[in-house]
Amino acid sequence: MIMSLVAPRLMVMGGGAVAKLGEVLGQLGLSRPLVVTDPFMVSSGLAEHALAPLRAAGMAPAVFSDTVPDPTDTVIAAGVGVFAAGDYDCLIGFGGGSPMDTAKAMAILAAAPAGARMRDFKVPAAANKGAVPIICVPTTAGTGSEATRFTVITDTETDEKMLIAGLGALPLAAVVDHELTFGLPARITADTGIDSLTHALEAFVSAKANPVSDDYARSAMRLIAPNLRRVWADPKDAAAREAMMRGATLAGLAFSNASVALVHGMSRPIGAHFHVPHGLSNAMLLPAVTEFGLEAARARYAEAARIMGVASEAEGDQAAARRLVEELRALNRDLDVPSPAKWGIEAAKWDGLLPLMARQALASGSPANNPRVPDEAEIVALYQASYGA
């Protein structure tokens, strides 16, 4: 079996690692960074965690902070304008998945010919070229974007969340510091944590899984499963925060090399049309979608249940796989994950968009990686089953 594997060239991990950011750039021969972050990171002073070590290293970092949740093609174009007006040799994505994905998309669009648009790079196109290197510094334990070759950008004309994949989106380096997650609200902690668990589980059952992605996914599930409730209950639990951050990065490496599947394919349209945060929309879907594919990959799901500690080695695969679904439902209850209905999405609007959402999910390519590949009608049924769950 020939495997094609990708990962950042350099990863610096651990408590206080963000203080090494200037040193990391120096090792890579970079000195003129544009930091891509969000308005809250700037207004709260949290962006100083990235800016201070760069200044201490003798650099004069500039900041683009107009990123938005669910990054849009219009924001990417604005960011490329800022990038083109300066003399920058790298982009630093500092924040959650949105700033990191924005930095990645900016690098890809900035390398494209004049007149290109982000939609030109959506899957199945290969976005393999970036104008400058990307360095990612995550502040949530969830997206794993610091380790992946993916970015997700919303087309504002079509309300489509576009999956963009290629080496142009792969960070050159990542600085992963769990201490940056201590102040996260409980809702973000839960949603990003379930996001990372979804990455690991979907990579593990993906049709594109390979032995190395499996190693990443297994390690990620072992770290995330016993610690997600701990960080929900005690945000200052440093050991649990460290485990979650490491697990999220390993899950990113897993799905970057195996791809995600049906949960993500269905999740993106929910985010695009209803502006539900990505991790939360994954959580809304994860139990029903896992149950849908259970018998098509029973042994894999059973192994995942054992790795996560919710089934014993003595149980058969059928019982263990069922325990996994029960655990995912229990996790949603324990972490107060709302259904789309409870989140406030109107039933008429939800139902009216289901055919379009199902087509957009299929067009993303991710459902084709699922153990059981659905048709449009089955995706509509899964959306309906998840609405009031």
Side-chain angles (χ1 to χ4, degrees), residues 21 38 48 51 65 79 90 136 161 165 173 216 219 254 262 272-273 285 298 338 342 374 382 386:
L21 186 55
D38 62 46
E48 284 300 313
L51 298 172
S65 62
C90 61
C136 282
K161 256 189 167 183
Y216 288 137
S219 295
L262 181 55
H273 294 287
L285 297 165
R298 184 194 298 172
K342 290 181 180 177
L382 284 167
S386 300

Side-chain angles (χ1 to χ4, degrees), residues 4 28 41 75 84 94 150 155 163 165 213 291 298 300 304 319-320 367 374:
S4 178
L28 299 170
M41 288 291 169
V75 167
F94 179 83
F150 300 117
D155 188 316
L163 176 63
S213 68
E291 187 171 37
R298 184 194 298 172
R300 278 261 151 170

Side-chain angles (χ1 to χ4, degrees), residues 70-74 152-157 159-162 271-272:
D70 300 322
T72 63
D73 52 359
T74 53
V152 179
I153 305 299
T154 298
D155 188 316
T156 52
E157 291 182 10
D159 273 342
E160 179 186 2
K161 256 189 167 183
M162 303 178 293

Side-chain angles (χ1 to χ4, degrees), residues 213-310:
S213 68
D214 284 351
D215 288 342
Y216 288 137
R218 289 187 182 100
S219 295
M221 287 188 284
R222 287 191 186 99
L223 288 165
I224 296 164
N227 287 293
L228 183 46
R229 288 182 178 87
R230 283 178 59 182
V231 292
W232 168 261
D234 180 6
K236 298 296 184 183
D237 186 330
R241 286 285 189 189
E242 190 277 334
M244 287 297 300
M245 198 67 152
R246 186 153 42 97
T249 298
L250 288 167
L253 288 165
F255 87 83
S256 187
N257 288 291
S259 295
V260 285
L262 181 55
V263 174
H264 276 75
M266 291 179 61
S267 175
R268 294 185 199 106
I270 296 175
H273 294 287
F274 299 105
H275 306 292
V276 178
H278 171 68
L280 179 56
S281 58
N282 277 349
M284 290 172 172
L285 297 165
L286 183 58
V289 171
T290 301
E291 187 171 37
F292 173 80
L294 211 59
E295 290 308 306
R298 184 194 298 172
R300 278 261 151 170
Y301 284 120
E303 183 180 352
R306 296 183 188 108
I307 290 168
M308 291 167 58
V310 299

